[in-house]
Amino acid sequence: MTILKAVAALALALAACTGFAQTIKIGVINVYSGPFATLGDLTEKGYRLYMKLNADKLPPGVKLEIITRDAGGPNPDKAKQLAQELIVRDRIQILTGVIFTPNAMAIAPLTQEAKLPFFISNAGTSVITTRSPYIARFSFTLWQSSYPLGQWAAKRYKRAYIAVSDFAPGHDSEEAFERGFKEGGGEIVGKVRTPLANPDFVPFMQRAKDSKPEVVFSFVPAGRQATAIMKAYGDLGLDKAGIKFIGPGDITTDEELPNMGDVPLGVVTAHHYSAAGDRPANKAFIAAWKKEYGEKSWPSFMSVGAWDAMDAIYYVIREQKGRIDPDRTMELVKQYKNPNSPRGPIAIDPATRDIIQNEYIREVRKVGGQLANVELETIPMVKDPWKELKK
Ligand code: PHB
């Protein structure tokens, strides 16, 4: 070995011992192509903005290497293959991302085998966190929004129709709303499940209209599908027939509101994040977002899920001074709290590793000439009702 090589090896060894100039590899499984690519873009921008604004919050000498992968949509086989490669070849130390539940379900067993902490930024079906002790969730569950909305609706309406997207989060949303609504004395007059791939919502909305409900409750994946179902609701004149439209915030997602015309005015949703929230932490977040991505750009709940997941990643790195131990990471994340997320106070429930957060009852109104999800009521610090009811 030449002297130079020996010195270099020594320096590397020293760096490893002291934690100096250490690189931590973070895998991100997201969606960057196909009809759901805008959701992945909003997620990615949430991570990147957090990292840009908080670069000084890592221990000295610690660097992050972010390795992003594209699952292309709800595609469990692909997601599993990407996770395997990230674990075996890239040797990531923490995994984050995942928009779609089927992808998260496919990855869950691998995180247990590999002892890989997985901080979910979106996928919202309740059962996911029970599938591996190495999962913590920074997004939401559909039960958190749809169950209280069922209770809220039962105080105002007697007859509801349910239309949900036919995959796991849709099924959760349907079951949660139905339970809340029926417990409050409401009646479900009909139900339909719409396809996840390339749905045409017109026939489904027609069926809903024909059932003459007072209110239609719906969940579809955020983004373009939300705009499409809103259009079908307007085109078929359900609003003019006096039928209200409600659902989790996915159907009036902030970045899509400008594409929806005036149809959503008066639509009521339950959700954990609105870009119109007037908390100081949210005002600062929106200002930073617009400065970075342009005045016309709006973050969505997916951006905030990514922002908060990255905040937790920074926290576990700081607490371990840059040396990631999987079991210690999971112990730490169970203690994670942030009183000042853009969405309000949040905490990880140590018993379930699921998020505890406010749910807001919101109505779409015009604010300064633009549609906004205006928060009307706060249901404080909601734990996943599916897990609470199963206890
Ligand atoms: C999910 O797959 O869990 C999912 C996808 C899109 C949403 C919400 C949940 O808007």
Side-chain angles (χ1 to χ4, degrees), residues 99-102 122-125 140 142 167 169 219-222 250 301-302:
I99 291 185
F100 288 101
T101 291
N122 190 67
T125 302
F140 56 89
L142 273 306
F167 74 130
F219 162 82
V220 294
D250 308 70
F301 66 92
M302 295 199 186

Side-chain angles (χ1 to χ4, degrees), residues 19 55-63 314 317-322:
D56 60 338
K57 298 215 175 94
L58 288 172
V62 172
K63 296 231 163 342
Y314 274 46
I317 290 174
R318 260 195 323 269
E319 290 293 313
Q320 297 176 91
K321 303 193 171 52

Side-chain angles (χ1 to χ4, degrees), residues 152-159 181 186 214-215 244 246:
W152 178 92
K155 295 189 195 124
R156 289 155 182 89
Y157 312 107
K158 285 273 154 282
R159 295 161 49 80
F181 193 63
E214 290 168 85
V215 63
K244 282 284 270 187
I246 64 174

Side-chain angles (χ1 to χ4, degrees), residues 280-337:
N282 188 49
K283 291 233 155 107
F285 175 68
I286 297 288
W289 182 278
K290 289 187 173 288
K291 185 166 174 230
E292 187 69 13
Y293 302 122
E295 212 24 62
K296 288 209 169 118
S297 177
W298 288 99
S300 78
F301 66 92
M302 295 199 186
S303 319
V304 172
W307 172 276
D308 287 329
M310 194 53 82
D311 186 59
I313 289 172
Y314 274 46
Y315 158 77
V316 298
I317 290 174
R318 260 195 323 269
E319 290 293 313
Q320 297 176 91
K321 303 193 171 52
R323 275 178 287 275
I324 298 295
D325 172 79
D327 291 310
R328 177 83 185 119
T329 298
M330 295 314 295
E331 283 315 308
L332 284 165
V333 81
K334 287 181 197 171
Q335 311 304 321
Y336 177 83
K337 283 185 180 57

Side-chain angles (χ1 to χ4, degrees), residues 59-377:
V62 172
K63 296 231 163 342
L64 300 191
E65 182 183 342
I66 306 290
I67 308 176
T68 55
R69 293 289 181 264
D70 178 17
N75 197 348
D77 292 340
K78 175 89 182 170
K80 187 174 172 187
Q81 178 213 328
L82 292 173
Q84 262 157 353
E85 286 171 9
L86 285 169
I87 292 167
V88 175
R89 206 179 57 200
D90 298 303
R91 303 200 164 275
I92 56 166
Q93 289 156 284
I94 298 178
L95 177 66
T96 183
V98 180
I99 291 185
F100 288 101
T101 291
N103 299 3
M105 293 293 274
I107 292 167
L110 300 180
T111 67
Q112 181 158 17
E113 281 166 37
K115 290 182 176 256
L116 175 69
F118 176 21
F119 292 3
I120 292 180
S121 69
N122 190 67
T125 302
S126 283
V127 74
I128 295 171
T129 45
T130 69
R131 291 298 169 89
S132 161
Y134 291 90
I135 292 179
R137 177 155 41 201
F138 292 86
S139 50
F140 56 89
T141 71
L142 273 306
W143 270 87
Q144 277 181 321
S145 53
S146 303
Y147 182 63
L149 188 61
Q151 296 171 318
W152 178 92
K155 295 189 195 124
R156 289 155 182 89
Y157 312 107
K158 285 273 154 282
R159 295 161 49 80
Y161 189 94
I162 303 179
V164 295
S165 189
D166 192 8
F167 74 130
H171 304 165
D172 265 17
S173 182
E174 173 192 291
E175 194 189 334
F177 177 79
E178 182 164 356
R179 179 148 178 182
F181 193 63
K182 281 186 176 165
E183 281 173 355
E187 180 198 350
I188 305 298
V189 298
K191 285 199 246 185
V192 72
R193 290 178 173 182
T194 60
L196 175 58
N198 309 313
D200 171 7
F201 292 114
V202 170
F204 300 109
M205 268 296 170
Q206 186 61 50
R207 249 194 269 168
K209 189 181 181 190
D210 294 344
S211 306
K212 301 199 183 336
E214 290 168 85
V215 63
V216 173
F217 169 89
S218 182
F219 162 82
V220 294
R224 288 185 199 160
Q225 287 206 18
T227 303
I229 199 165
M230 195 63 72
K231 184 170 183 328
Y233 167 78
D235 286 354
L236 292 170
L238 278 82
D239 49 349
K240 294 190 184 69
I243 301 171
K244 282 284 270 187
F245 195 36
I246 64 174
D250 308 70
I251 64 166
T252 58
T253 178
D254 295 301
E255 86 287 0
E256 282 292 323
L257 283 179
N259 304 330
M260 290 184 177
D262 278 346
V263 181
L265 278 172
V267 170
V268 170
T269 53
H271 224 210
H272 57 282
Y273 179 69
S274 163
D278 61 7
R279 291 165 290 284
N282 188 49
K283 291 233 155 107
F285 175 68
I286 297 288
W289 182 278
K290 289 187 173 288
K291 185 166 174 230
E292 187 69 13
Y293 302 122
E295 212 24 62
K296 288 209 169 118
S297 177
W298 288 99
S300 78
F301 66 92
M302 295 199 186
S303 319
V304 172
W307 172 276
D308 287 329
M310 194 53 82
D311 186 59
I313 289 172
Y314 274 46
Y315 158 77
V316 298
I317 290 174
R318 260 195 323 269
E319 290 293 313
Q320 297 176 91
K321 303 193 171 52
R323 275 178 287 275
I324 298 295
D325 172 79
D327 291 310
R328 177 83 185 119
T329 298
M330 295 314 295
E331 283 315 308
L332 284 165
V333 81
K334 287 181 197 171
Q335 311 304 321
Y336 177 83
K337 283 185 180 57
N338 180 3
N340 276 316
S341 163
R343 65 181 109 173
I346 58 171
I348 294 297
D349 182 345
T352 63
R353 291 163 278 102
D354 226 327
I355 193 155
I356 308 172
Q357 60 191 338
N358 292 347
E359 285 291 324
Y360 305 96
I361 301 286
R362 310 101 48 89
E363 186 179 68
V364 178
R365 294 183 178 168
K366 259 196 183 147
V367 178
Q370 292 179 24
L371 297 190
N373 288 299
V374 177
E375 292 170 358
L376 304 179
E377 284 173 40

